[in-house]
Amino acid sequence: MSGVLTLLSPAKLNLFLHITGRREDGYHELQTLFQLLDWGDTLHFTANSSGLVTLSGAPASIPDKENLILRAAQLLRSGNQGAHIELNKRIPQGGGLGGGSSNAATTLLALNHLWELKLDSARLQELGATLGADVPVFTAARTAWAEGIGEQLTPVELPQCWYLVLVPQCHVSTAEIFSHEQLTRNSSPIKIAAFFEGHSRNDCQDLVRDLYQEIDNALIWLNNFGEARLTGTGACVFASFDSEADAQSARSQMPNQWTGIVAKGLNESPVLSALV
């Protein structure tokens, strides 16, 4: 029960997002395609026998009792199992890139390995779902088609693609968007084939761009290089490119008020190979 482990905690994109209904418990039924990226946060784990889990590098704005890294660790910890976790944060908060969910899932995978708990992927995904709807896809660590509230996953192999992700200077509240009376909640379910034929959208996009002028501006600019789309409830927007050079070329033309991230899509998270 000792050792040091450093892992990428990857960001994700929602390549589309259809909201197909609303459940009695307040959660929304949806369809989406989660695309993992080769870019994200970095987490360093040092296991020990202190019986405590400590964390450094976390945003000061998030209380410990709400921090998904610490909450994930507490789901697994027992006895004298302990760890120190250091977070190097790159994924912006409130951007729709899944930073907190990815951190939680990476923590579950890392501590399951370091503490030699031998929990299988299905159990870790089940635990992850108690922390948030986006946690299971990061725990499964594969690009996937998702249904239900996001926990019903089907791995999907996508062709290699590069993305330019723009980070507007605003923060979108997921709760605000999902509770908004103007949000579309009755999209008809589609098959995976329909996505590849181009029959998809983000049901949150029109509402978000109406509420946030900066996001509307980003989408308008990025549409010059291909179909621009919101990820999740935003604030980040993205477009796909056939090569890294094309994505970097578009980034070089980006207005100064935005941050631009060039990342490659991955079908499998590097976390899986790191834990073999």
Side-chain angles (χ1 to χ4, degrees):
M1 194 167 60
S2 64
V4 179
L5 184 62
T6 296
L7 297 174
L8 174 72
S9 183
K12 60 82 176 169
L13 297 173
N14 295 90
L15 298 188
F16 82 101
L17 178 58
H18 292 178
I19 302 171
T20 58
R22 192 174 192 176
R23 307 191 324 184
E24 290 184 1
D25 62 8
Y27 281 99
H28 287 78
E29 296 280 349
L30 55 84
Q31 287 186 311
T32 191
L33 181 52
F34 288 111
Q35 167 74 81
L36 300 183
L37 301 178
D38 70 345
W39 176 91
D41 298 335
T42 304
L43 284 164
H44 308 275
F45 299 86
T46 304
N48 56 53
S49 56
S50 67
L52 300 172
V53 175
T54 55
L55 174 65
S56 61
S61 59
I62 302 176
D64 283 355
K65 65 180 180 180
E66 298 177 14
N67 188 288
L68 290 176
I69 294 172
L70 293 173
R71 289 177 61 196
Q74 292 306 322
L75 289 176
L76 299 181
R77 192 190 66 78
S78 65
N80 67 345
Q81 292 166 338
H84 177 68
I85 305 170
E86 179 183 346
L87 170 64
N88 297 123
K89 194 71 181 167
R90 299 172 75 195
I91 303 174
Q93 293 178 259
L97 300 178
S101 296
S102 180
N103 293 167
T106 303
T107 299
L108 290 174
L109 292 165
L111 295 182
N112 182 56
H113 177 80
L114 287 173
W115 291 342
E116 299 179 352
L117 301 177
K118 297 181 170 57
L119 300 178
D120 64 17
S121 180
R123 177 57 179 153
L124 291 173
Q125 289 175 53
E126 183 181 329
L127 290 171
T130 69
L131 298 171
D134 285 356
V135 180
V137 71
F138 290 109
T139 309
R142 298 182 189 278
T143 283
W145 181 272
E147 297 183 289
I149 62 171
E151 86 290 6
Q152 299 171 22
L153 300 171
T154 303
V156 174
E157 292 285 322
L158 296 177
Q160 183 169 295
C161 190
W162 291 84
Y163 297 92
L164 173 58
V165 183
L166 299 190
V167 185
Q169 298 301 309
C170 59
H171 181 287
V172 176
S173 165
T174 298
E176 174 197 8
I177 300 304
F178 274 112
S179 63
H180 202 286
E181 61 181 11
Q182 294 181 20
L183 179 66
T184 297
R185 297 183 175 88
N186 59 352
S187 288
S188 297
I190 65 171
K191 302 293 186 183
I192 294 177
F195 167 79
F196 287 106
E197 292 167 0
H199 305 302
S200 70
R201 63 192 172 277
N202 184 326
D203 281 339
C204 300
Q205 183 166 306
D206 287 346
L207 172 61
V208 170
R209 69 190 306 174
D210 284 344
L211 295 173
Y212 297 88
Q213 183 63 52
E214 185 75 3
I215 294 172
D216 184 52
N217 293 342
L219 285 163
I220 290 170
W221 181 83
L222 195 53
N223 265 322
N224 292 313
F225 300 92
E227 183 185 2
R229 192 166 280 189
L230 188 75
T231 177
T233 56
C236 293
V237 304
F238 67 92
S240 63
F241 296 82
D242 292 333
S243 70
E244 181 181 14
D246 289 343
Q248 293 286 7
S249 175
R251 181 186 180 186
S252 71
Q253 302 170 58
M254 183 182 66
N256 291 332
Q257 71 262 34
W258 300 319
T259 298
I261 300 158
V262 171
K264 184 170 68 173
L266 299 176
N267 288 319
E268 181 178 293
S269 170
V271 172
L272 290 183
S273 58
L275 297 180
V276 171

